[in-house]
Amino acid sequence: MISRRDFLYRAAAVGGTGLMLNTMSAWGMGIASRTSEPPALSGSGKGRKVVILGAGLAGMTAAYELGKLGYEVRVLEARDFAGGRCQTARKGFALTELGGEEQRCRFDEGQYINHGPWRIPLHHQSTLHYTRLFEVPLEVMVNDNDHSIVYLENGGPLARQRLRPAQIKADMRGHVAELLAKSVKDNQLDQQLSVDDKRLLLDYLAHEGQLDAGDLRYKGRSGRGYAVNPGAGMTPGPGAASDPLGFKELLASRVGNVYSAVQDFPMQNTMFQPVGGMDRIAKAFEKRVGRHIRYRAEVQSLRHGENNVTVTYKDTASGKLQSVTADFCLCTIPLSVLRMVDTDFSPGFKAAIKQVAYAPVGKIGLQMKRRFWEEDDQIYGGHVLTDIKGINTISLPSSGWQKKKGVLLGYYNYQTAAIEVSAMTPQERADFALAAGEKIFPAYRESFDSAFSVAWHRVQYNLGGWADWNDDSRKNAYPKLLEGEGRVLLAGEHLSYLTGWQAGAIESAWQQLARIHERASA
Amino acid sequence: MISRRDFLYRAAAVGGTGLMLNTMSAWGMGIASRTSEPPALSGSGKGRKVVILGAGLAGMTAAYELGKLGYEVRVLEARDFAGGRCQTARKGFALTELGGEEQRCRFDEGQYINHGPWRIPLHHQSTLHYTRLFEVPLEVMVNDNDHSIVYLENGGPLARQRLRPAQIKADMRGHVAELLAKSVKDNQLDQQLSVDDKRLLLDYLAHEGQLDAGDLRYKGRSGRGYAVNPGAGMTPGPGAASDPLGFKELLASRVGNVYSAVQDFPMQNTMFQPVGGMDRIAKAFEKRVGRHIRYRAEVQSLRHGENNVTVTYKDTASGKLQSVTADFCLCTIPLSVLRMVDTDFSPGFKAAIKQVAYAPVGKIGLQMKRRFWEEDDQIYGGHVLTDIKGINTISLPSSGWQKKKGVLLGYYNYQTAAIEVSAMTPQERADFALAAGEKIFPAYRESFDSAFSVAWHRVQYNLGGWADWNDDSRKNAYPKLLEGEGRVLLAGEHLSYLTGWQAGAIESAWQQLARIHERASA
């Protein structure tokens, strides 16, 4: 049975995206393909056993779907809880990074940080399939807030100013629209544009840049914010307009490059988060497949033969070694960790595993005594973008609106910056975050309660935020790893083009469990 | 005591917005002024009585704040519930428009439509002051969703297509950036731009339009959506790119004019709504001032003298006439209704009241058996914009994500269209909305459960959606009405530049109650 997605993919291969779009249109699908459901599998897995390594979302997805088909599933999970990176730090949550001291989260009841995945794009229908099926309540995660702040240390003439994205967007687009309108009026584009096109383009530019209808100049607009907001009576009455930022200053600051009129595919103005924390998804899976999970089971070795796979694991509580033998193994262990497991994979397969780099990623949650970003600055969610080294973004919570306290994300760093910051102690990381934040928010440091940080590359069972593919590894290692070896198949975000997203883990699991079922049914 | 807002307003008057912005910056206020609190009044209103006409948000704000100061307040409300236009239609809610049949809402438990105000902008700090103070839980109202649909009947070459805003934005901006980049490269803008500016502008355009780094051409981008979304494994793997819409088609369709990179001031990507319905705000006020409200009290006449005001009202239950005499009267009755009340206002004041037009406004809520917009089209909240006559927008609910049923807003019409549609019976209005919606959503009609519609200009105690000022009435009537007459002052959204917004009602009440207190204290 061919899925709609497969059909479309083939249509694209044969007739280009035009044919595909026509097909989709004929199906009433508009621009989006519907890839929201687990593979529709028939038959039964009764009498077959699958050992699944890792109780993250990939592992639990496979356990859930294979379990429904009648397979005997056994999930080995090194931690004492399920979810993999789908974690939420709240009061009592403990983490000891490799070579680090133990952190125990001291947030107030009801406060938390999603220090792993933290947002669900609206078109990640696979993740949304399970939140719907398992009735995990969702709420909007404000991913783009034009009333937030951008703060650049290296912003040329606009350096170290608290700029609002709406200002920047309005003024950059306004000036650019004015410039292009001038070109059109001066007949400089007559080669490219017909008389009709010119008229329509001027009309569009006047709209897009909100140009003065008379001279097509940009003179500011309400959307950039007022100097004094409109209100009642005569004072403030209509409010007072604000002056646009100068075109040359904007250009020299390069701040226009921070935002784009269109976000990249996985990003949207609004995304979703589960009410109460991202781990509500993990808990929902765990409720359904928890009986198949062996916790504190650290995989030591894997041996596979023609008829079965044997996995030996250490019970980290007792230190005892135990084994599971199964017809198939679905391994969702991150490649960064798997490379260190004693396996009898072929040298080529081992080399493929080792070829994949993992991204150093750091995050810190800071509980604040007072939601000063809401109270003082009227910022309700979204990201404060900055070029302060090692920070990238200060992200404001999309829950607990108008309450007293809140936990914000104090930094979200990658690569070199993540490695540098993660070398600090938890206390030093908090200090580092506070020193940056107080440049932007006067009340930052005085409002600080407590912190919880993670450096995923230093977390024992992850050793990285996500698989960090490059062209070479995608070309050479990826197909090999997708294939698996013998009766061992791999799944996880790393085996998708949705790297680092929960949807990647789920969709990869869907693909690989379908292959297991196909082979088991053969 | 001068408020910050007053000071800023004067700074602007003296030194222009530059001085004002500097002042604000010195106060750490960034671009937004803080106008979020009721007037700080000292002294006591003990022994003074104020009769307030109307228990909408303006009336209840005044009752709450004056009550705190010790005034004896009496609120006369014609309806049998408080809130004015701040209403929510849910199971059992009844409405009989003038000359119309009774509608009784038949939505399922938990389903509702905010048929009056339905969104709270993030900078309406006055409204947010009370939601915070009264602990009214808020949730995000998705006001802008790039994954929604725009559908134009008169869209030229793109007519009657289900276009996604993200497509349109990406392609319009991409083509426009490419065009301007070409002008810059061809040295057509050398008079306006220095060599440095040119380099920086090209850099910005390449970013903004996501142009090919080599030839600076626009060739599509991920943010416009894929033909096949990326996923796991090799199929779909990286997904399949989608082809941009042509520049000439876009221009000819004029669909680029539907959206702007920057929204007008009161609009943002995300806004707020109270969890459970907008009337939660009304209920929160009512809980605190309800004991002062006389319901079913329809104002018949108003007489004011040097020392007091007497209001006569009819108890609509018994039909009996009663009177209240007070030191002051704060009248929040819409001008459209007030003009018909028997008053002894001066001819000039009466003329001012009559000069203000009220906007015909219609809305319809349609309960759908299935959230097809989420399930079939992955649209989670936001607006479907259309030029179908009388519809304007089909707005999808921002609550109950992934649940079974939902109530969407089937149209939101104004002026002539509102008058035309409101002439229909409730059943005909529902049919009208369904006929439009099914052009865009195949499952629209088959999913329909029941409807509830309102035409505000036909609602007895409103006779319009909001005050519809023009330059003439703002100039001549507005100052007079703000002044009030004798011991009668007016308040409401109509006496603000936030017309039609709850914040206008609240801020107007703040101003007028401060004036009452000033005079009472004199």
Side-chain angles (χ1 to χ4, degrees), chain B residues 229-395:
Chain B
N229 288 351
M234 301 295 268
T235 311
S242 56
D243 299 325
L245 300 164
F247 195 19
K248 280 176 189 296
E249 286 71 34
L250 281 164
L251 283 175
S253 74
R254 301 174 57 88
V255 71
N257 295 23
V258 175
Y259 299 96
S260 171
V262 180
Q263 293 170 304
D264 286 342
F265 184 65
M267 297 296 165
Q268 288 117 16
N269 295 337
T270 53
M271 301 172 82
F272 278 131
Q273 62 188 13
V275 175
M278 189 59 83
D279 67 350
R280 296 292 154 100
I281 294 180
K283 301 285 180 220
F285 270 105
E286 195 175 16
K287 186 175 156 190
R288 287 157 181 88
V289 303
R291 66 187 183 283
H292 305 304
I293 302 176
R294 182 140 306 169
Y295 297 96
R296 296 174 212 83
E298 198 181 74
V299 172
Q300 304 294 311
S301 67
L302 182 152
R303 295 289 178 271
H304 65 115
E306 210 164 306
N307 298 312
N308 55 40
V309 183
T310 298
V311 177
T312 304
Y313 62 93
K314 184 171 79 180
D315 180 324
T316 58
S318 66
K320 281 189 192 150
L321 290 182
Q322 305 199 34
S323 290
V324 189
T325 297
D327 298 297
F328 292 94
C329 171
L330 184 70
C331 173
T332 72
I333 298 175
L335 304 177
S336 46
V337 176
L338 183 60
R339 65 200 292 174
M340 298 184 300
V341 174
D342 167 22
T343 67
D344 58 356
F345 291 140
S346 68
F349 200 74
K350 283 184 178 173
I353 291 171
K354 284 194 180 160
Q355 208 193 327
V356 185
Y358 267 64
V361 174
K363 281 187 178 182
I364 192 166
L366 304 174
Q367 179 175 302
M368 295 292 181
K369 295 185 185 83
R370 184 170 78 80
R371 297 170 78 97
F372 53 82
W373 56 95
E374 295 181 0
E375 294 173 12
D376 301 350
D377 296 308
Q378 297 88 53
I379 304 173
Y380 298 90
H383 313 300
V384 173
L385 300 184
T386 180
D387 62 354
I388 300 176
K389 201 160 171 289
I391 300 292
N392 289 332
T393 180
I394 293 173
S395 296

Side-chain angles (χ1 to χ4, degrees), chain A residues 493-509:
Chain A
E493 56 82 18
H494 46 289
L495 293 179
S496 80
Y497 281 82
L498 304 170
T499 316
W501 293 101
Q502 296 176 117
I506 293 169
E507 294 183 34
S508 169

Side-chain angles (χ1 to χ4, degrees), chain A residues 17 173 197 208 243 248, chain B residues 17 173 197 208 243 248:
Chain A
T17 56
R173 272 93 188 181
D197 289 346
E208 165 69 1
D243 299 325
K248 281 177 190 292
Chain B
T17 58
R173 271 92 191 185
D197 289 346
E208 164 69 0
D243 299 325
K248 280 176 189 296

